[in-house]
Amino acid sequence: QVQLVESGGGLVQAGGSLTLSCAASGSISSIGAVAWYRQTPGKQRELVAGIISVGMTNYLGAVKGRFTISKDNAKNTLNLQMNSLKCEDAAVYYCQLAIKGAAAVNAYWGQGTQGTVSS
């Protein structure tokens, strides 16, 4: 069994910063591709940033240069540093990790953490 616990969401003024974390625990042999998504009411969940493999990251155009995704393999933790936040960045943020357990690789989602940006 694998669990993902997100933390770090909150309220920040426009121009401020938030750091989101996603900690994985349980039966984990290895972690592959990882990503952060976000969703606002009435809209589809969108990919914000991802790490496909070592050295290969991708970002949503609207956050490129402001957000940084990173993975700590020793701690099984995924982070998203969000700087220069804008009102349109307000959303529920979800982490997704591809985790290999005893045999198979499965994709797991965090519970979501709210990021609110005030003007």
Side-chain angles (χ1 to χ4, degrees), residues 7-20 36-38 40 46 48-49 59-60 62-68 80-93 113-119:
S7 61
L11 172 64
V12 65
Q13 284 190 326
S17 299
L18 283 174
T19 301
L20 306 183
W36 285 96
Y37 289 75
R38 67 187 182 188
T40 54
E46 65 177 354
V48 175
Y59 292 92
L60 179 69
V63 309
K64 198 171 291 186
R66 300 188 295 120
F67 290 13
T68 302
L80 183 68
Q81 176 66 45
M82 306 188 294
N83 297 327
S84 302
L85 283 162
K86 304 176 181 179
C87 291
E88 51 263 42
D89 294 319
V92 178
Y93 285 77
T113 186
Q114 177 74 51
T116 303
V117 184
S118 64
S119 58

Side-chain angles (χ1 to χ4, degrees), residues 39-90:
Q39 189 170 24
T40 54
K43 293 189 177 181
Q44 286 191 329
R45 195 171 294 188
E46 65 177 354
L47 176 65
V48 175
I51 301 175
I52 302 169
S53 61
V54 175
M56 291 186 65
T57 58
N58 61 298
Y59 292 92
L60 179 69
V63 309
K64 198 171 291 186
R66 300 188 295 120
F67 290 13
T68 302
I69 187 172
S70 62
K71 185 171 70 166
D72 187 332
N73 291 317
K75 296 181 179 179
N76 289 337
T77 301
L78 177 67
N79 300 306
L80 183 68
Q81 176 66 45
M82 306 188 294
N83 297 327
S84 302
L85 283 162
K86 304 176 181 179
C87 291
E88 51 263 42
D89 294 319

